[in-house]
Amino acid sequence: MAKMTSIKMKHLLEDKLKNPDYRIVYKRDDDAVRIEWKESKEGMTVSLPNLIVKYNERGMEAVDEMVEHVNEALKIMNQTQHLKGMEKQIFPVLRSPSFPTETKAGKKLIFKDHTAETRVFYALDLGKSYRLIDEELLGEEEWTKERLDEIAAFNIRSLSYQPKVDQVAGNDFYFLATQDGYDASRILNEAFLEEMLANAKGELTVAVPHQDVLILGDIQNKTGYDILAQMTMKFFADGRIPITSLPFVYENKKLEPVFILAKNRPEKN
């Protein structure tokens, strides 16, 4: 198989993304391709080195997957979305505090602070993808932020909660990884955390290293904190949308970040 280069990959994407309404531009400095609507200039950027890595692992399947993702994303950008009638499709999503609070088109996103390590944004689920809700969309419906938050909180409680359990060195770890896009968001379901706390033998810890996992730890000895730290860091490094490598202790209905010192009880900030 001939070696795939950025220029070859660019030509391949151009060939597969033929649409008279698209503009495809090669950004040499970033080694990326920008695909956008000619009229609105809304679009997305694809990193060529990242796609080449996937292509070398999985062949044309990886390219076809990217093409489908680009077409879906651009289709959504070109549609007018409404919140009314879509209430069941609104969910909270967790992001790190460094996550942008404006879209590339300059629209202000709706968010609220959660912990020092996390912020809550709101997503309109569109099936294969989602759109983060901005002030303009909220204003069109004349909804308040409080109403949006209530709807999202109700929907997160309605999802399934069946964690997988793993026992390591006398500590119980619970993993929620349903891949529905809202695994980390389940940390916002206080009733679920209270139930886990009521059944914990030791101290209940909660971690959201990236969007697609929620890790709860029933920590019963010092080794448990070391395992938790390593586990959270590994998931954080591997995540598609990383959130935070710091786990939390859950007590008194509060999430306190813990800085784990090897072989020691964590210090709370």
Side-chain angles (χ1 to χ4, degrees), residues 57-185:
E57 286 172 358
R58 293 164 48 217
M60 282 305 294
E61 183 194 355
V63 180
D64 290 337
E65 205 173 84
M66 178 58 78
V67 166
E68 188 188 350
H69 183 62
V70 169
N71 280 325
E72 181 69 19
L74 265 72
K75 186 178 88 180
I76 286 160
M77 285 170 195
N78 219 25
Q79 288 171 343
T80 305
Q81 270 103 31
H82 299 285
L83 300 179
K84 210 164 278 173
M86 296 286 281
E87 285 88 351
K88 287 191 166 75
Q89 270 68 53
I90 295 168
F91 291 93
V93 288
L94 250 63
R95 295 288 184 267
S96 75
S98 62
F99 188 81
T101 56
E102 274 189 15
T103 67
K104 288 199 172 90
K107 293 180 179 177
K108 288 186 166 63
L109 295 170
I110 306 285
F111 69 90
K112 72 169 185 179
D113 291 325
H114 176 236
T115 71
E117 304 298 319
T118 50
R119 265 187 184 153
V120 179
F121 289 78
Y122 301 89
L124 178 60
D125 195 307
L126 300 164
K128 286 183 183 172
S129 59
Y130 61 88
R131 170 186 170 174
L132 291 180
I133 295 171
D134 55 59
E135 286 181 359
E136 192 180 304
L137 191 56
L138 199 68
E140 282 167 12
E141 305 291 359
E142 297 181 346
W143 284 12
T144 61
K145 289 182 183 179
E146 289 72 26
R147 179 167 184 205
L148 180 69
D149 189 57
E150 274 172 23
I151 290 169
F154 177 82
N155 289 338
I156 208 71
R157 289 195 296 272
S158 69
L159 297 178
S160 65
Y161 286 81
Q162 290 167 324
K164 289 179 179 163
V165 191
D166 199 0
Q167 201 173 56
V168 189
N171 302 275
D172 297 318
F173 292 95
Y174 300 84
F175 299 87
L176 270 160
T178 62
Q179 300 293 305
D180 62 6
Y182 308 107
D183 289 306
S185 305

Side-chain angles (χ1 to χ4, degrees), residues 194-205:
E194 284 294 317
E195 185 186 338
M196 294 299 292
L197 182 62
N199 290 302
K201 299 184 208 82
E203 187 156 47
L204 184 69
T205 60

Side-chain angles (χ1 to χ4, degrees), residues 26-32:
Y26 175 52
K27 302 172 85 175
R28 193 178 300 278
D29 291 350
D30 302 327
D31 200 4

Side-chain angles (χ1 to χ4, degrees), residues 92-97 111-122 149 156 184-190 193 206-208 214 243-244 246 248-250 253-257:
V93 288
L94 250 63
R95 295 288 184 267
S96 75
F111 69 90
K112 72 169 185 179
D113 291 325
H114 176 236
T115 71
E117 304 298 319
T118 50
R119 265 187 184 153
V120 179
F121 289 78
Y122 301 89
D149 189 57
I156 208 71
S185 305
R186 285 163 168 82
I187 196 175
L188 301 169
N189 184 350
E190 203 174 80
L193 296 185
V206 193
V208 281
L214 175 66
I243 301 172
T244 175
L246 276 183
F248 303 90
V249 166
Y250 181 72
K253 298 196 174 179
K254 283 198 177 131
L255 291 158
E256 297 283 350

Side-chain angles (χ1 to χ4, degrees), residues 34-37 40-45 74 77 104:
R34 169 87 181 163
I35 306 105
E36 61 185 28
W37 289 106
S40 68
K41 294 190 170 56
E42 280 197 283
M44 66 179 283
T45 303
L74 265 72
M77 285 170 195
K104 288 199 172 90

